[in-house]
Amino acid sequence: EVQLQASGGGVVQAGGSLILSCAYAGLTFDDYVIGWFRQAPGKEREEVSCISSSDSSPYYGDSMQGRSTMSSNGAKNMVYLQMNNLKPEDTAVYYCAATDATYWDYSCSGFEIHEYDYWGQGTLVTVSS
């Protein structure tokens, strides 16, 4: 059974930083992709970043381009999202999700949100002005 759990959210002042963690288990595919997503109140869910188990170079969406760094530790089954210079508009529930990428030979950015099959419970990030 695939399980993901995001943690590390909280309240932070604008301009501050936060590190989110995602613990995962059960990803036994030959290759898989893990992504970070966020959903603000009244808005659609959007991709923040993703990384493939076979490629250590993350992809970053437009939402936090230049202000976030995604990393992974395969030995610990963890991925992280370092967020810097946070803005009030970054306030959202942040999720990590995964999908089987065994037969995918391209960037993780090629996966649409609806193609992620496994989702963890989100963690709320609130950025105060």
Side-chain angles (χ1 to χ4, degrees), residues 50-76:
C50 64
I51 194 167
S52 168
S53 62
S54 61
D55 182 355
S56 60
S57 300
Y59 161 83
Y60 298 96
D62 294 336
S63 60
M64 299 198 74
Q65 181 74 253
R67 298 187 295 122
S68 62
T69 301
M70 183 176 184
S71 60
S72 65
N73 186 329
K76 294 185 177 182

PDB file of all heavy atoms in Angstrom, residues 50-76:
ATOM      1  N   CYS A  50       8.285  18.740  -8.737  1.00  0.00           N
ATOM      2  CA  CYS A  50       8.260  17.289  -8.803  1.00  0.00           C
ATOM      3  C   CYS A  50       9.677  16.774  -9.013  1.00  0.00           C
ATOM      4  O   CYS A  50      10.567  17.518  -9.435  1.00  0.00           O
ATOM      5  CB  CYS A  50       7.325  16.785  -9.892  1.00  0.00           C
ATOM      6  SG  CYS A  50       7.800  17.242 -11.577  1.00  0.00           S
ATOM      7  N   ILE A  51       9.839  15.504  -8.715  1.00  0.00           N
ATOM      8  CA  ILE A  51      11.132  14.868  -8.895  1.00  0.00           C
ATOM      9  C   ILE A  51      10.904  13.402  -9.217  1.00  0.00           C
ATOM     10  O   ILE A  51       9.952  12.794  -8.729  1.00  0.00           O
ATOM     11  CB  ILE A  51      12.012  15.032  -7.627  1.00  0.00           C
ATOM     12  CG1 ILE A  51      13.474  14.693  -7.913  1.00  0.00           C
ATOM     13  CG2 ILE A  51      11.480  14.187  -6.473  1.00  0.00           C
ATOM     14  CD1 ILE A  51      14.414  15.132  -6.794  1.00  0.00           C
ATOM     15  N   SER A  52      11.758  12.863 -10.051  1.00  0.00           N
ATOM     16  CA  SER A  52      11.670  11.455 -10.419  1.00  0.00           C
ATOM     17  C   SER A  52      12.677  10.653  -9.619  1.00  0.00           C
ATOM     18  O   SER A  52      13.759  11.142  -9.298  1.00  0.00           O
ATOM     19  CB  SER A  52      11.948  11.300 -11.916  1.00  0.00           C
ATOM     20  OG  SER A  52      12.149   9.953 -12.252  1.00  0.00           O
ATOM     21  N   SER A  53      12.333   9.410  -9.325  1.00  0.00           N
ATOM     22  CA  SER A  53      13.261   8.560  -8.583  1.00  0.00           C
ATOM     23  C   SER A  53      14.505   8.241  -9.400  1.00  0.00           C
ATOM     24  O   SER A  53      15.540   7.879  -8.854  1.00  0.00           O
ATOM     25  CB  SER A  53      12.571   7.270  -8.151  1.00  0.00           C
ATOM     26  OG  SER A  53      12.155   6.531  -9.289  1.00  0.00           O
ATOM     27  N   SER A  54      14.412   8.376 -10.728  1.00  0.00           N
ATOM     28  CA  SER A  54      15.542   8.056 -11.593  1.00  0.00           C
ATOM     29  C   SER A  54      16.323   9.291 -12.023  1.00  0.00           C
ATOM     30  O   SER A  54      17.324   9.179 -12.721  1.00  0.00           O
ATOM     31  CB  SER A  54      15.048   7.319 -12.841  1.00  0.00           C
ATOM     32  OG  SER A  54      14.159   8.129 -13.575  1.00  0.00           O
ATOM     33  N   ASP A  55      15.888  10.469 -11.595  1.00  0.00           N
ATOM     34  CA  ASP A  55      16.530  11.712 -11.995  1.00  0.00           C
ATOM     35  C   ASP A  55      16.503  12.656 -10.813  1.00  0.00           C
ATOM     36  O   ASP A  55      15.434  13.037 -10.348  1.00  0.00           O
ATOM     37  CB  ASP A  55      15.790  12.320 -13.188  1.00  0.00           C
ATOM     38  CG  ASP A  55      16.447  13.601 -13.680  1.00  0.00           C
ATOM     39  OD1 ASP A  55      17.409  14.080 -13.049  1.00  0.00           O
ATOM     40  OD2 ASP A  55      15.991  14.125 -14.711  1.00  0.00           O
ATOM     41  N   SER A  56      17.628  13.076 -10.353  1.00  0.00           N
ATOM     42  CA  SER A  56      17.683  13.898  -9.147  1.00  0.00           C
ATOM     43  C   SER A  56      17.410  15.370  -9.399  1.00  0.00           C
ATOM     44  O   SER A  56      17.478  16.170  -8.472  1.00  0.00           O
ATOM     45  CB  SER A  56      19.051  13.736  -8.492  1.00  0.00           C
ATOM     46  OG  SER A  56      20.074  14.153  -9.376  1.00  0.00           O
ATOM     47  N   SER A  57      17.117  15.734 -10.632  1.00  0.00           N
ATOM     48  CA  SER A  57      16.872  17.148 -10.940  1.00  0.00           C
ATOM     49  C   SER A  57      15.386  17.463 -10.839  1.00  0.00           C
ATOM     50  O   SER A  57      14.600  17.006 -11.650  1.00  0.00           O
ATOM     51  CB  SER A  57      17.382  17.463 -12.351  1.00  0.00           C
ATOM     52  OG  SER A  57      18.763  17.206 -12.444  1.00  0.00           O
ATOM     53  N   PRO A  58      15.002  18.273  -9.878  1.00  0.00           N
ATOM     54  CA  PRO A  58      13.580  18.593  -9.732  1.00  0.00           C
ATOM     55  C   PRO A  58      13.097  19.534 -10.837  1.00  0.00           C
ATOM     56  O   PRO A  58      13.880  20.265 -11.436  1.00  0.00           O
ATOM     57  CB  PRO A  58      13.499  19.289  -8.370  1.00  0.00           C
ATOM     58  CG  PRO A  58      14.804  19.026  -7.700  1.00  0.00           C
ATOM     59  CD  PRO A  58      15.794  18.870  -8.802  1.00  0.00           C
ATOM     60  N   TYR A  59      11.807  19.492 -11.055  1.00  0.00           N
ATOM     61  CA  TYR A  59      11.136  20.468 -11.914  1.00  0.00           C
ATOM     62  C   TYR A  59      10.354  21.403 -11.011  1.00  0.00           C
ATOM     63  O   TYR A  59       9.798  20.971 -10.003  1.00  0.00           O
ATOM     64  CB  TYR A  59      10.192  19.752 -12.875  1.00  0.00           C
ATOM     65  CG  TYR A  59       9.152  20.666 -13.467  1.00  0.00           C
ATOM     66  CD1 TYR A  59       9.435  21.454 -14.565  1.00  0.00           C
ATOM     67  CD2 TYR A  59       7.886  20.756 -12.893  1.00  0.00           C
ATOM     68  CE1 TYR A  59       8.480  22.308 -15.101  1.00  0.00           C
ATOM     69  CE2 TYR A  59       6.928  21.609 -13.410  1.00  0.00           C
ATOM     70  CZ  TYR A  59       7.232  22.383 -14.514  1.00  0.00           C
ATOM     71  OH  TYR A  59       6.297  23.228 -15.028  1.00  0.00           O
ATOM     72  N   TYR A  60      10.328  22.676 -11.373  1.00  0.00           N
ATOM     73  CA  TYR A  60       9.592  23.660 -10.573  1.00  0.00           C
ATOM     74  C   TYR A  60       8.529  24.324 -11.422  1.00  0.00           C
ATOM     75  O   TYR A  60       8.803  24.795 -12.535  1.00  0.00           O
ATOM     76  CB  TYR A  60      10.537  24.714 -10.003  1.00  0.00           C
ATOM     77  CG  TYR A  60      11.562  24.135  -9.066  1.00  0.00           C
ATOM     78  CD1 TYR A  60      12.835  23.804  -9.504  1.00  0.00           C
ATOM     79  CD2 TYR A  60      11.235  23.878  -7.741  1.00  0.00           C
ATOM     80  CE1 TYR A  60      13.765  23.239  -8.653  1.00  0.00           C
ATOM     81  CE2 TYR A  60      12.164  23.316  -6.878  1.00  0.00           C
ATOM     82  CZ  TYR A  60      13.426  22.996  -7.342  1.00  0.00           C
ATOM     83  OH  TYR A  60      14.332  22.435  -6.482  1.00  0.00           O
ATOM     84  N   GLY A  61       7.339  24.374 -10.875  1.00  0.00           N
ATOM     85  CA  GLY A  61       6.276  25.088 -11.542  1.00  0.00           C
ATOM     86  C   GLY A  61       6.449  26.583 -11.358  1.00  0.00           C
ATOM     87  O   GLY A  61       7.335  27.049 -10.653  1.00  0.00           O
ATOM     88  N   ASP A  62       5.577  27.331 -11.982  1.00  0.00           N
ATOM     89  CA  ASP A  62       5.692  28.782 -11.944  1.00  0.00           C
ATOM     90  C   ASP A  62       5.409  29.374 -10.563  1.00  0.00           C
ATOM     91  O   ASP A  62       5.912  30.441 -10.224  1.00  0.00           O
ATOM     92  CB  ASP A  62       4.731  29.405 -12.960  1.00  0.00           C
ATOM     93  CG  ASP A  62       5.130  29.070 -14.389  1.00  0.00           C
ATOM     94  OD1 ASP A  62       6.321  28.778 -14.618  1.00  0.00           O
ATOM     95  OD2 ASP A  62       4.243  29.092 -15.263  1.00  0.00           O
ATOM     96  N   SER A  63       4.602  28.669  -9.772  1.00  0.00           N
ATOM     97  CA  SER A  63       4.095  29.258  -8.533  1.00  0.00           C
ATOM     98  C   SER A  63       5.188  29.641  -7.552  1.00  0.00           C
ATOM     99  O   SER A  63       5.102  30.672  -6.897  1.00  0.00           O
ATOM    100  CB  SER A  63       3.105  28.305  -7.860  1.00  0.00           C
ATOM    101  OG  SER A  63       3.732  27.071  -7.559  1.00  0.00           O
ATOM    102  N   MET A  64       6.227  28.829  -7.440  1.00  0.00           N
ATOM    103  CA  MET A  64       7.295  29.142  -6.493  1.00  0.00           C
ATOM    104  C   MET A  64       8.671  29.063  -7.135  1.00  0.00           C
ATOM    105  O   MET A  64       9.668  28.803  -6.467  1.00  0.00           O
ATOM    106  CB  MET A  64       7.229  28.224  -5.277  1.00  0.00           C
ATOM    107  CG  MET A  64       5.954  28.343  -4.488  1.00  0.00           C
ATOM    108  SD  MET A  64       6.096  27.659  -2.833  1.00  0.00           S
ATOM    109  CE  MET A  64       7.086  28.914  -2.043  1.00  0.00           C
ATOM    110  N   GLN A  65       8.695  29.299  -8.425  1.00  0.00           N
ATOM    111  CA  GLN A  65       9.954  29.273  -9.159  1.00  0.00           C
ATOM    112  C   GLN A  65      10.951  30.248  -8.548  1.00  0.00           C
ATOM    113  O   GLN A  65      10.661  31.415  -8.349  1.00  0.00           O
ATOM    114  CB  GLN A  65       9.692  29.646 -10.627  1.00  0.00           C
ATOM    115  CG  GLN A  65      10.903  29.648 -11.516  1.00  0.00           C
ATOM    116  CD  GLN A  65      11.371  28.247 -11.841  1.00  0.00           C
ATOM    117  OE1 GLN A  65      12.387  27.784 -11.338  1.00  0.00           O
ATOM    118  NE2 GLN A  65      10.639  27.565 -12.711  1.00  0.00           N
ATOM    119  N   GLY A  66      12.122  29.751  -8.229  1.00  0.00           N
ATOM    120  CA  GLY A  66      13.170  30.600  -7.669  1.00  0.00           C
ATOM    121  C   GLY A  66      13.083  30.797  -6.167  1.00  0.00           C
ATOM    122  O   GLY A  66      13.990  31.364  -5.558  1.00  0.00           O
ATOM    123  N   ARG A  67      12.008  30.340  -5.564  1.00  0.00           N
ATOM    124  CA  ARG A  67      11.848  30.509  -4.112  1.00  0.00           C
ATOM    125  C   ARG A  67      11.714  29.175  -3.395  1.00  0.00           C
ATOM    126  O   ARG A  67      11.488  29.137  -2.184  1.00  0.00           O
ATOM    127  CB  ARG A  67      10.611  31.370  -3.816  1.00  0.00           C
ATOM    128  CG  ARG A  67      10.685  32.781  -4.371  1.00  0.00           C
ATOM    129  CD  ARG A  67       9.512  33.622  -3.900  1.00  0.00           C
ATOM    130  NE  ARG A  67       8.238  33.123  -4.410  1.00  0.00           N
ATOM    131  CZ  ARG A  67       7.226  32.758  -3.629  1.00  0.00           C
ATOM    132  NH1 ARG A  67       7.346  32.810  -2.303  1.00  0.00           N
ATOM    133  NH2 ARG A  67       6.100  32.346  -4.163  1.00  0.00           N
ATOM    134  N   SER A  68      11.846  28.095  -4.127  1.00  0.00           N
ATOM    135  CA  SER A  68      11.690  26.797  -3.492  1.00  0.00           C
ATOM    136  C   SER A  68      12.753  25.837  -4.006  1.00  0.00           C
ATOM    137  O   SER A  68      13.267  25.996  -5.118  1.00  0.00           O
ATOM    138  CB  SER A  68      10.298  26.233  -3.755  1.00  0.00           C
ATOM    139  OG  SER A  68      10.103  26.029  -5.143  1.00  0.00           O
ATOM    140  N   THR A  69      13.064  24.865  -3.168  1.00  0.00           N
ATOM    141  CA  THR A  69      14.006  23.817  -3.539  1.00  0.00           C
ATOM    142  C   THR A  69      13.448  22.494  -3.077  1.00  0.00           C
ATOM    143  O   THR A  69      13.153  22.313  -1.898  1.00  0.00           O
ATOM    144  CB  THR A  69      15.384  24.044  -2.880  1.00  0.00           C
ATOM    145  OG1 THR A  69      15.902  25.317  -3.274  1.00  0.00           O
ATOM    146  CG2 THR A  69      16.359  22.963  -3.311  1.00  0.00           C
ATOM    147  N   MET A  70      13.311  21.575  -4.016  1.00  0.00           N
ATOM    148  CA  MET A  70      12.845  20.232  -3.685  1.00  0.00           C
ATOM    149  C   MET A  70      14.040  19.298  -3.650  1.00  0.00           C
ATOM    150  O   MET A  70      14.924  19.366  -4.506  1.00  0.00           O
ATOM    151  CB  MET A  70      11.830  19.734  -4.711  1.00  0.00           C
ATOM    152  CG  MET A  70      11.253  18.372  -4.382  1.00  0.00           C
ATOM    153  SD  MET A  70       9.973  17.895  -5.584  1.00  0.00           S
ATOM    154  CE  MET A  70       9.416  16.344  -4.862  1.00  0.00           C
ATOM    155  N   SER A  71      14.061  18.444  -2.641  1.00  0.00           N
ATOM    156  CA  SER A  71      15.143  17.477  -2.532  1.00  0.00           C
ATOM    157  C   SER A  71      14.574  16.148  -2.064  1.00  0.00           C
ATOM    158  O   SER A  71      13.432  16.082  -1.591  1.00  0.00           O
ATOM    159  CB  SER A  71      16.228  17.979  -1.576  1.00  0.00           C
ATOM    160  OG  SER A  71      15.689  18.190  -0.288  1.00  0.00           O
ATOM    161  N   SER A  72      15.367  15.111  -2.191  1.00  0.00           N
ATOM    162  CA  SER A  72      14.900  13.787  -1.790  1.00  0.00           C
ATOM    163  C   SER A  72      16.009  13.027  -1.090  1.00  0.00           C
ATOM    164  O   SER A  72      17.200  13.270  -1.313  1.00  0.00           O
ATOM    165  CB  SER A  72      14.411  13.012  -3.011  1.00  0.00           C
ATOM    166  OG  SER A  72      15.488  12.772  -3.894  1.00  0.00           O
ATOM    167  N   ASN A  73      15.603  12.125  -0.242  1.00  0.00           N
ATOM    168  CA  ASN A  73      16.511  11.206   0.432  1.00  0.00           C
ATOM    169  C   ASN A  73      15.898   9.824   0.292  1.00  0.00           C
ATOM    170  O   ASN A  73      15.039   9.436   1.085  1.00  0.00           O
ATOM    171  CB  ASN A  73      16.698  11.593   1.895  1.00  0.00           C
ATOM    172  CG  ASN A  73      17.744  10.735   2.593  1.00  0.00           C
ATOM    173  OD1 ASN A  73      17.931   9.570   2.267  1.00  0.00           O
ATOM    174  ND2 ASN A  73      18.428  11.318   3.554  1.00  0.00           N
ATOM    175  N   GLY A  74      16.316   9.105  -0.724  1.00  0.00           N
ATOM    176  CA  GLY A  74      15.748   7.803  -0.993  1.00  0.00           C
ATOM    177  C   GLY A  74      15.991   6.805   0.113  1.00  0.00           C
ATOM    178  O   GLY A  74      15.153   5.937   0.366  1.00  0.00           O
ATOM    179  N   ALA A  75      17.109   6.930   0.772  1.00  0.00           N
ATOM    180  CA  ALA A  75      17.431   5.996   1.852  1.00  0.00           C
ATOM    181  C   ALA A  75      16.451   6.125   3.014  1.00  0.00           C
ATOM    182  O   ALA A  75      16.189   5.163   3.738  1.00  0.00           O
ATOM    183  CB  ALA A  75      18.852   6.225   2.336  1.00  0.00           C
ATOM    184  N   LYS A  76      15.902   7.321   3.183  1.00  0.00           N
ATOM    185  CA  LYS A  76      14.952   7.563   4.279  1.00  0.00           C
ATOM    186  C   LYS A  76      13.518   7.628   3.791  1.00  0.00           C
ATOM    187  O   LYS A  76      12.609   7.875   4.590  1.00  0.00           O
ATOM    188  CB  LYS A  76      15.308   8.856   5.000  1.00  0.00           C
ATOM    189  CG  LYS A  76      16.644   8.821   5.733  1.00  0.00           C
ATOM    190  CD  LYS A  76      16.873  10.097   6.516  1.00  0.00           C
ATOM    191  CE  LYS A  76      18.172  10.022   7.306  1.00  0.00           C
ATOM    192  NZ  LYS A  76      18.392  11.256   8.113  1.00  0.00           N
TER     193      LYS A  76
END
